[in-house]
Amino acid sequence: MQKKKIVFITGAGMSAESGISTFRDSDGLWENHRIEDVASPEGFKRNPKLVLDFYNARRKQLFEVEPNEAHKLIAQLEENFIVDIITQNVDDLHERAGSTKVLHLHGELRKARSTKNEKHCIAWDADLNEGELCPDGHQMRPHIVWFGEMVPEIENAMKIVQKADIVVVVGTSMQVYPAAGLVYEASSNADLYFIDPNPNISGMQKVKVFAKTATEGMKELVEILMK
């Protein structure tokens, strides 16, 4: 029998239990910084050192945390399903938990790219500083999709969702576009699940909601899927 295809769309709540602070706190700040100062092309142009230092700190934090049980439960589903993950997170916790097909919509902390040519993108685990240049002589920057920038992987993500038998949204408010629109790409025959402590989803008739943390919701979902 052919394995069913599950697509997980994950956000900040997925990694919160690992100790990574959610992208935007209730006061609108990210790690005490205004979003426009550390997550926009204008902020980088205005104060590149601030932005580079900010992501250096986020990268260091990444090496101090581990995948949580929800990450591991998703990875284990590959034994019985074809599993794709589309994540808004810039950490690599899905990969470290064992998931093999992860598409990062908003970039990756452990990569850097040229400010001139975004196709020049390389693995990067050290601090990234002013004066770190790519081969064509341009400053390197974090491989992060900032506000106001295109999301290059969005079309690939849409195609993945369209082929899914099951779509599961975990740990995201589904308020940030274009990612928020992905769930509406699902086939009318697909089963839809939404896991978040504060579920906020509208306009969808047949979605099954788990108002729980990522781990608690995933435990319940796995029981349903494995029946």
Side-chain angles (χ1 to χ4, degrees), residues 3 30 36 51-52 81 128 131 138 140 169 181 197-198 208 214:
K3 289 181 177 180
W30 185 15
E36 54 267 37
V51 175
L52 293 172
F81 299 88
L128 183 58
H138 295 280
M140 297 293 284
V169 178
N198 303 297
K208 164 80 172 156

Side-chain angles (χ1 to χ4, degrees), residues 41 104-107 113 118 141 143-155 177-179:
H104 287 267
L105 276 181
H106 296 156
R113 73 174 195 243
E118 65 183 45
R141 56 163 275 186
H143 180 51
I144 304 292
V145 177
W146 289 327
F147 284 96
E149 294 184 323
M150 299 291 288
V151 180
E153 292 287 0
I154 194 67
E155 287 191 15
Y177 282 84

Side-chain angles (χ1 to χ4, degrees), residues 155-170:
E155 287 191 15
N156 289 333
M158 289 164 67
K159 289 173 186 169
I160 291 169
V161 174
Q162 288 162 5
K163 294 175 183 173
D165 299 302
I166 301 163
V167 177
V168 187
V169 178
V170 187

Side-chain angles (χ1 to χ4, degrees), residues 44-62:
F44 185 62
K45 190 178 285 187
R46 201 164 45 236
N47 193 341
K49 185 177 187 308
L50 171 73
V51 175
L52 293 172
D53 287 349
F54 177 82
Y55 289 99
N56 289 341
R58 307 285 75 70
R59 197 179 300 106
K60 277 180 184 150
Q61 181 191 33
L62 192 50

Side-chain angles (χ1 to χ4, degrees), residues 21-32:
S21 66
T22 53
F23 176 70
R24 192 182 298 206
D25 295 321
S26 57
D27 55 8
L29 300 178
W30 185 15
E31 295 284 359
N32 299 315

Side-chain angles (χ1 to χ4, degrees), residues 42-199:
E42 296 77 18
F44 185 62
K45 190 178 285 187
R46 201 164 45 236
N47 193 341
K49 185 177 187 308
L50 171 73
V51 175
L52 293 172
D53 287 349
F54 177 82
Y55 289 99
N56 289 341
R58 307 285 75 70
R59 197 179 300 106
K60 277 180 184 150
Q61 181 191 33
L62 192 50
F63 296 112
E64 297 167 359
V65 299
E66 298 292 338
N68 60 55
E69 193 173 351
H71 290 110
K72 292 171 185 173
L73 287 169
I74 291 176
Q76 288 162 14
L77 285 171
E78 289 192 18
E79 294 174 18
N80 300 96
F81 299 88
I82 297 169
V83 180
D84 277 279
I85 298 166
I86 299 166
T87 186
Q88 298 173 69
N89 298 337
V90 295
D91 61 62
D92 64 344
L93 295 178
H94 279 300
E95 289 92 338
R96 281 159 57 189
S99 290
T100 59
K101 295 169 72 181
V102 185
L103 184 151
H104 287 267
L105 276 181
H106 296 156
E108 299 176 65
L109 268 178
R110 296 183 65 183
K111 290 184 179 177
R113 73 174 195 243
S114 167
T115 50
K116 185 72 173 177
N117 179 5
E118 65 183 45
K119 295 199 183 326
H120 181 81
C121 181
I122 57 174
W124 197 284
D125 282 344
D127 281 355
L128 183 58
N129 301 304
E130 289 185 273
E132 307 270 14
L133 307 181
C134 65
D136 59 9
H138 295 280
Q139 172 69 41
M140 297 293 284
R141 56 163 275 186
H143 180 51
I144 304 292
V145 177
W146 289 327
F147 284 96
E149 294 184 323
M150 299 291 288
V151 180
E153 292 287 0
I154 194 67
E155 287 191 15
N156 289 333
M158 289 164 67
K159 289 173 186 169
I160 291 169
V161 174
Q162 288 162 5
K163 294 175 183 173
D165 299 302
I166 301 163
V167 177
V168 187
V169 178
V170 187
T172 171
S173 63
M174 298 305 287
Q175 300 299 302
V176 178
Y177 282 84
L182 282 174
V183 71
Y184 300 102
E185 296 292 326
S187 155
S188 58
N189 299 320
D191 294 325
L192 304 177
Y193 299 92
F194 187 51
I195 300 170
D196 194 80
N198 303 297

